[in-house]
Amino acid sequence: MCGIAGILTPSIDLRKEKTLIENISKTLKMRGPDAKGEYVTPQTALIHRRLSVIDIEKGGQPMRFGKYIIVYNGELYNTAEVRDELISCGYEFDSHCDTEVVLKAYDKWQQDSVKRLNGIFAYAVYDEQENSLFLARDRIGVKPCYYSRVGDLFAFASRISSLLCIPQIRPVVDERGLNEIFMLGPAKTIGKAIFKDISELPPAHYMVYKNGNISISPYWKLQAWENKETVDEAIEHTYFLVKDSIERQLVSDVPLATFLSGGLDSSIISRVASDYYKRNGGVLNTYSVDYTDNDRYFKKSLFQPNKDSDYIGLMSDAIGSVHHNVVLDNSDVAYALKEAAIARCVPGFADVDSSLLLFCREVKKNFTVCLSGECADEIFGGYPWYHRKEILFEDCFPWSRSTAARRNILRPDFLKNGEEYIRSAYDDTVKQTSYLEGESALEKRMREMFVLNLDWFMQTLLARKDVMSMESSLEVRVPFCDYRLVEYAYNMPWEIKALDGREKGILRKAFENDLPNEIAWRKKSPYPKTHNPVYFDCVCRLVRQALADKDCPLCEMLNIQSVENLMNNPDSMTEPWYGQLMQTPQVLAYIYQIYVWIKNYNVEFEI
């Protein structure tokens, strides 16, 4: 993977802005520590930082073909097919990297070329003759892409902090941004980026920038179609798509491993990867994460019914992997909250972020690429809110059903229109759902839930995975985000998807012969979090330090007494802030991360 950025402006001679270009490049260094490249003319600058994974010698960027120059961040999983088609059209290739394939595909098919790509990516193609820019992002939104237009300046980047290097782009947050943080966070609306001057190119969209005008168009959307497969056919089809997606993502010219939690999703990936390695004379390495003394303090809950540690060894033994268990110090996880918030460039996902950052750093010591099991729960119905009728048909975001916990920490008169903001965001998402005529109320609601999870919960997890892994210079691939699999799962009847009345029933059945029975039918458990009081105590100290800074605008937004009560009575919070992973320790960590974000980026507020 890589980091990309660019500026187009007629009013500044960018050849004289070497310091600015170098500063932007530095913000992308962790995304691409192996090499850097720049293309600079009086009115255009394209910046690239490379993490070398495929064709290390010949894949340098920016890359030119004719009048086009590309900066590309991503991986294609159908490189061979697209290359072969281009060769049949008369194109020749100097490398086996996917960047050259994307560039020449654009030369051949222009804007329609992005529809032919299966992968995770964000890239820009500059046309020297037309002085125009084509910017595209993958269908699911695995790779980030932000942009800003201020006056006659247009800029784009993989990171928000890269854009904030540009003096014309100010770190201003208005009421809309505050609603994103306090009413929806750590989720955010697709297309938004918290800051007033910065937007996000939505997944499955491309942009054309020319003569000061921006045109944004979708190139893919979930569409309802009738699936008439039998159960046996669906099992076979699911098995093929999942296995094919995993195997396509095992291609790498550098060492590769998998994350293994002992849950269904990561175990499937590790099984397929291990078999692939064995056929090629290799042995798979697997990694898991835990916390000091976590077994001692683990508390069983509806969302986290059992510990991963009980299952990881079983799965590793079954596939014969070389397993590495990374045990994180609880204080380190707390103190890494600051670095995680700065890396995200917006308030983050508390210790769910910081622990992943530390974990990825340990993996990076030996590997450059990993595969991870994110997003199977969203597309195959793995979360409790898919299965509990009292939640399923509630007309709200199922992972954040009430604003009570949020209102509790805020000043009483702050963000008075917050609930209206949430309602609008929810309604706008549900309106995007594609149905079939005559579908039952249950099937229609399951389609709505699919879209809600795809556009919100899944985007939060994908942003976390990209930022924390790339901050460690580790590329993490997510096979369950293959758009073919997403399309198929969207149109699978619920009674088949939830086969045998189980969450992810069809996925379990498809792979039950490849996994130990205890793994195949293990109840879903989320990413592990720390239950150790050492972490909570550290977070409370950090929050009290933040609250003591009376010069920070955050203090004017919070109900300080309520925050103090939360620290003194952590059990007083009776419902999660966000999903299954944010209870009192995480909410306090989120408050601290907001403080870090404000201070580090000198955030200005317009309210």
Coordinates of all heavy atoms in Angstrom, one line a residue, residues 534-586:
V534 N -6.2 -1.7 35.3 CA -5.0 -0.8 35.1 C -5.3 0.1 33.9 O -4.9 1.3 34.0 CB -3.7 -1.7 34.8 CG1 -2.6 -0.8 34.3 CG2 -3.3 -2.5 36.1
Y535 N -5.9 -0.4 32.9 CA -6.2 0.4 31.7 C -7.2 1.5 32.1 O -7.0 2.7 31.8 CB -6.8 -0.4 30.6 CG -7.3 0.4 29.4 CD1 -6.5 1.0 28.5 CD2 -8.7 0.6 29.3 CE1 -7.0 1.8 27.5 CE2 -9.2 1.4 28.3 CZ -8.4 1.9 27.4 OH -8.9 2.7 26.4
F536 N -8.2 1.2 32.8 CA -9.2 2.2 33.2 C -8.6 3.3 34.1 O -8.9 4.5 33.9 CB -10.3 1.5 34.0 CG -11.4 2.4 34.4 CD1 -12.3 2.9 33.5 CD2 -11.6 2.7 35.8 CE1 -13.3 3.8 33.9 CE2 -12.6 3.6 36.2 CZ -13.4 4.1 35.3
D537 N -7.7 2.9 35.0 CA -7.1 3.9 35.9 C -6.2 4.8 35.0 O -6.2 6.0 35.3 CB -6.2 3.2 36.9 CG -7.1 2.4 38.0 OD1 -8.3 2.7 38.0 OD2 -6.5 1.5 38.6
C538 N -5.5 4.3 34.1 CA -4.7 5.1 33.2 C -5.5 6.1 32.4 O -5.2 7.3 32.3 CB -3.8 4.3 32.3 SG -2.4 3.4 33.0
V539 N -6.6 5.6 31.9 CA -7.5 6.5 31.1 C -8.1 7.6 32.0 O -8.2 8.8 31.5 CB -8.6 5.6 30.4 CG1 -9.7 6.6 29.8 CG2 -8.0 4.7 29.4
C540 N -8.5 7.3 33.2 CA -9.0 8.3 34.1 C -8.0 9.4 34.3 O -8.3 10.6 34.4 CB -9.5 7.7 35.4 SG -11.0 6.7 35.2
R541 N -6.7 9.0 34.5 CA -5.7 10.0 34.7 C -5.6 10.9 33.5 O -5.4 12.1 33.6 CB -4.4 9.3 35.0 CG -4.3 8.7 36.4 CD -2.8 8.5 36.8 NE -2.2 7.5 36.0 CZ -2.2 6.2 36.2 NH1 -2.9 5.7 37.2 NH2 -1.6 5.4 35.4
L542 N -5.6 10.3 32.3 CA -5.5 11.1 31.1 C -6.7 12.1 30.9 O -6.5 13.2 30.5 CB -5.4 10.2 29.9 CG -4.1 9.3 29.8 CD1 -4.2 8.3 28.7 CD2 -2.9 10.2 29.6
V543 N -7.9 11.6 31.3 CA -9.0 12.4 31.1 C -9.0 13.6 32.1 O -9.3 14.7 31.8 CB -10.3 11.6 31.3 CG1 -11.6 12.5 31.4 CG2 -10.5 10.6 30.2
R544 N -8.5 13.3 33.3 CA -8.4 14.4 34.3 C -7.4 15.4 33.9 O -7.6 16.6 34.2 CB -8.1 13.8 35.7 CG -9.3 13.0 36.3 CD -9.1 12.7 37.8 NE -10.3 12.2 38.3 CZ -10.7 10.9 38.5 NH1 -9.8 10.0 38.2 NH2 -11.8 10.5 39.0
Q545 N -6.3 15.0 33.3 CA -5.4 16.0 32.8 C -6.0 16.8 31.7 O -5.8 18.0 31.6 CB -4.2 15.2 32.2 CG -3.3 14.5 33.2 CD -2.2 13.7 32.6 OE1 -1.9 13.8 31.4 NE2 -1.6 12.8 33.4
A546 N -6.8 16.2 30.8 CA -7.5 17.0 29.8 C -8.5 18.0 30.4 O -8.6 19.1 29.9 CB -8.2 16.0 28.8
L547 N -9.3 17.5 31.4 CA -10.2 18.4 32.0 C -9.6 19.6 32.7 O -10.2 20.6 32.9 CB -11.1 17.6 32.9 CG -12.0 16.5 32.3 CD1 -12.9 15.8 33.3 CD2 -12.9 17.1 31.2
A548 N -8.4 19.4 33.1 CA -7.7 20.5 33.9 C -7.2 21.6 32.9 O -6.8 22.6 33.4 CB -6.5 19.9 34.6
D549 N -7.2 21.3 31.6 CA -6.8 22.3 30.6 C -8.0 23.2 30.3 O -8.7 22.9 29.3 CB -6.2 21.6 29.4 CG -5.7 22.5 28.4 OD1 -5.8 23.8 28.6 OD2 -5.1 22.1 27.3
K550 N -8.1 24.2 31.0 CA -9.3 25.1 30.9 C -9.2 25.9 29.6 O -10.2 26.6 29.2 CB -9.4 26.0 32.1 CG -9.6 25.3 33.4 CD -10.8 24.3 33.4 CE -10.9 23.5 34.7 NZ -12.0 22.5 34.6
D551 N -8.1 26.0 29.0 CA -7.9 26.7 27.7 C -8.5 25.9 26.5 O -8.6 26.5 25.4 CB -6.5 27.1 27.4 CG -5.9 28.1 28.5 OD1 -6.7 28.9 29.0 OD2 -4.7 28.0 28.8
C552 N -8.7 24.6 26.7 CA -9.2 23.8 25.6 C -10.7 24.0 25.5 O -11.5 23.9 26.4 CB -8.9 22.3 25.9 SG -9.4 21.2 24.5
P553 N -11.2 24.2 24.2 CA -12.7 24.4 24.0 C -13.5 23.1 24.4 O -14.7 23.3 24.6 CB -12.8 24.6 22.5 CG -11.4 25.1 22.1 CD -10.4 24.4 23.0
L554 N -12.9 22.0 24.6 CA -13.6 20.8 24.9 C -14.3 21.0 26.3 O -15.5 20.5 26.4 CB -12.7 19.6 25.0 CG -13.3 18.2 25.4 CD1 -14.4 17.8 24.4 CD2 -12.2 17.2 25.5
C555 N -13.7 21.6 27.2 CA -14.3 21.8 28.5 C -15.6 22.6 28.4 O -16.5 22.4 29.3 CB -13.3 22.5 29.4 SG -11.9 21.5 29.8
E556 N -15.8 23.4 27.4 CA -17.0 24.2 27.3 C -18.1 23.4 26.7 O -19.3 23.8 26.7 CB -16.7 25.4 26.4 CG -15.6 26.4 26.9 CD -15.3 27.4 25.9 OE1 -16.0 27.5 24.9 OE2 -14.3 28.2 26.1
M557 N -17.8 22.2 26.2 CA -18.8 21.4 25.5 C -19.3 20.3 26.5 O -20.4 19.7 26.3 CB -18.2 20.7 24.3 CG -17.6 21.6 23.3 SD -16.8 20.7 21.9 CE -15.9 22.1 21.1
L558 N -18.5 19.9 27.5 CA -18.8 18.8 28.3 C -19.5 19.2 29.6 O -19.3 20.3 30.1 CB -17.5 18.1 28.7 CG -16.7 17.5 27.5 CD1 -15.4 16.8 28.1 CD2 -17.5 16.4 26.8
N559 N -20.3 18.3 30.1 CA -20.8 18.4 31.5 C -19.7 17.7 32.4 O -19.7 16.5 32.5 CB -22.1 17.6 31.6 CG -22.7 17.7 33.0 OD1 -22.0 17.8 34.0 ND2 -24.1 17.7 33.0
I560 N -18.9 18.5 33.0 CA -17.7 18.0 33.7 C -18.1 17.1 34.8 O -17.5 16.1 35.1 CB -16.8 19.2 34.2 CG1 -16.4 20.1 33.1 CG2 -15.6 18.7 34.9 CD1 -15.6 19.5 32.0
Q561 N -19.2 17.5 35.5 CA -19.6 16.7 36.7 C -20.0 15.3 36.2 O -19.7 14.3 36.9 CB -20.8 17.4 37.4 CG -21.2 16.7 38.7 CD -20.1 16.5 39.7 OE1 -19.4 17.5 40.1 NE2 -19.8 15.3 40.1
S562 N -20.7 15.2 35.1 CA -21.1 13.9 34.6 C -19.9 13.0 34.2 O -19.9 11.8 34.4 CB -22.1 14.1 33.4 OG -23.3 14.7 33.8
V563 N -18.9 13.7 33.6 CA -17.7 12.9 33.2 C -17.0 12.4 34.5 O -16.6 11.3 34.6 CB -16.8 13.8 32.4 CG1 -15.5 13.0 32.1 CG2 -17.4 14.2 31.1
E564 N -17.0 13.3 35.5 CA -16.4 12.8 36.8 C -17.2 11.7 37.4 O -16.6 10.7 37.9 CB -16.3 14.0 37.8 CG -15.3 15.1 37.5 CD -13.9 14.7 37.9 OE1 -13.7 13.6 38.4 OE2 -13.0 15.5 37.6
N565 N -18.5 11.8 37.3 CA -19.3 10.7 37.9 C -19.1 9.4 37.1 O -19.1 8.3 37.7 CB -20.8 11.0 37.8 CG -21.2 12.1 38.8 OD1 -20.5 12.4 39.8 ND2 -22.3 12.8 38.5
L566 N -18.8 9.5 35.8 CA -18.6 8.3 35.0 C -17.3 7.6 35.5 O -17.1 6.4 35.5 CB -18.5 8.7 33.6 CG -18.8 7.6 32.5 CD1 -20.1 6.9 32.8 CD2 -18.7 8.1 31.1
M567 N -16.3 8.5 35.8 CA -15.0 7.9 36.2 C -15.1 7.3 37.6 O -14.5 6.3 37.9 CB -13.9 9.0 36.2 CG -13.5 9.4 34.8 SD -12.1 10.6 34.8 CE -12.9 12.1 35.2
N568 N -15.9 7.9 38.5 CA -16.1 7.4 39.8 C -17.0 6.2 39.9 O -16.9 5.4 40.8 CB -16.5 8.5 40.8 CG -15.5 9.6 40.9 OD1 -14.3 9.3 40.8 ND2 -15.9 10.9 41.0
N569 N -18.0 6.2 39.0 CA -19.0 5.1 39.0 C -19.1 4.5 37.6 O -20.1 4.7 36.9 CB -20.3 5.6 39.4 CG -20.3 6.3 40.8 OD1 -20.2 5.6 41.8 ND2 -20.3 7.6 40.8
P570 N -18.1 3.7 37.2 CA -18.1 3.2 35.8 C -19.3 2.3 35.4 O -19.7 2.2 34.3 CB -16.8 2.4 35.7 CG -16.4 2.2 37.1 CD -16.9 3.3 37.9
D571 N -19.9 1.7 36.4 CA -21.0 0.8 36.1 C -22.3 1.6 35.9 O -23.4 1.0 35.6 CB -21.2 -0.2 37.3 CG -20.1 -1.2 37.4 OD1 -19.4 -1.4 36.3 OD2 -19.8 -1.7 38.5
S572 N -22.3 2.9 36.1 CA -23.5 3.7 35.9 C -23.9 3.8 34.5 O -25.1 4.2 34.2 CB -23.3 5.1 36.5 OG -22.3 5.8 35.8
M573 N -23.0 3.5 33.5 CA -23.4 3.5 32.1 C -24.0 2.2 31.8 O -23.4 1.1 31.8 CB -22.1 3.7 31.3 CG -22.4 3.9 29.8 SD -20.9 4.3 28.9 CE -21.4 3.8 27.2
T574 N -25.3 2.2 31.4 CA -26.1 1.0 31.3 C -26.2 0.4 29.9 O -26.7 -0.7 29.7 CB -27.5 1.2 31.9 OG1 -28.1 2.2 31.2 CG2 -27.4 1.5 33.4
E575 N -25.8 1.2 28.9 CA -25.9 0.8 27.5 C -24.6 1.2 26.7 O -24.0 2.2 27.1 CB -27.1 1.3 26.8 CG -27.2 2.8 26.7 CD -28.4 3.3 26.1 OE1 -29.5 2.9 26.5 OE2 -28.3 4.1 25.1
P576 N -24.2 0.5 25.7 CA -23.0 0.9 25.0 C -23.2 2.2 24.3 O -24.3 2.6 23.9 CB -22.9 -0.3 24.0 CG -23.7 -1.4 24.5 CD -24.8 -0.8 25.2
W577 N -22.1 2.9 24.2 CA -22.0 4.2 23.4 C -22.2 3.8 21.9 O -22.8 4.5 21.2 CB -20.7 4.9 23.7 CG -20.4 6.1 22.9 CD1 -20.0 6.1 21.6 CD2 -20.4 7.5 23.4 NE1 -19.7 7.4 21.2 CE2 -20.0 8.3 22.3 CE3 -20.7 8.1 24.6 CZ2 -19.9 9.6 22.4 CZ3 -20.6 9.4 24.7 CH2 -20.2 10.2 23.6
Y578 N -21.4 2.8 21.5 CA -21.4 2.4 20.1 C -21.1 1.0 20.0 O -20.0 0.5 20.3 CB -20.3 3.3 19.4 CG -20.2 3.0 17.9 CD1 -21.1 3.7 17.0 CD2 -19.2 2.2 17.4 CE1 -21.0 3.5 15.7 CE2 -19.2 2.0 16.0 CZ -20.0 2.6 15.1 OH -19.9 2.4 13.8
G579 N -22.1 0.2 19.6 CA -21.9 -1.2 19.3 C -21.5 -2.0 20.6 O -21.9 -1.6 21.7
Q580 N -20.7 -3.0 20.4 CA -20.4 -3.9 21.5 C -19.1 -3.6 22.2 O -18.6 -4.2 23.1 CB -20.4 -5.4 21.1 CG -19.3 -5.7 20.1 CD -19.7 -5.6 18.6 OE1 -20.2 -4.5 18.2 NE2 -19.5 -6.6 17.8
L581 N -18.4 -2.6 21.6 CA -17.0 -2.3 22.0 C -16.8 -1.0 22.8 O -15.6 -0.8 23.2 CB -16.1 -2.3 20.8 CG -15.9 -3.7 20.1 CD1 -15.1 -3.5 18.9 CD2 -15.3 -4.7 21.0
M582 N -17.8 -0.2 23.0 CA -17.6 1.0 23.7 C -18.5 1.1 25.0 O -19.6 1.5 25.0 CB -17.9 2.2 22.8 CG -16.8 2.4 21.7 SD -16.9 3.9 20.8 CE -16.3 5.1 22.0
Q583 N -17.8 0.7 26.1 CA -18.4 0.9 27.4 C -17.7 2.1 28.1 O -17.0 2.9 27.5 CB -18.3 -0.4 28.2 CG -19.1 -1.5 27.6 CD -20.6 -1.4 27.8 OE1 -21.1 -0.6 28.5 NE2 -21.4 -2.2 27.1
T584 N -17.9 2.2 29.4 CA -17.3 3.3 30.1 C -15.8 3.6 29.9 O -15.5 4.7 29.6 CB -17.6 3.2 31.7 OG1 -19.0 3.1 31.9 CG2 -17.0 4.3 32.4
P585 N -14.9 2.6 30.0 CA -13.5 2.9 29.7 C -13.3 3.5 28.3 O -12.5 4.4 28.1 CB -12.8 1.5 29.9 CG -13.8 0.8 30.7 CD -15.1 1.2 30.3
Q586 N -14.0 3.0 27.3 CA -13.8 3.4 25.9 C -14.4 4.8 25.7 O -13.9 5.6 25.0 CB -14.5 2.4 25.0 CG -13.7 1.1 24.8 CD -13.8 0.2 26.0 OE1 -14.9 0.1 26.7 NE2 -12.7 -0.5 26.4

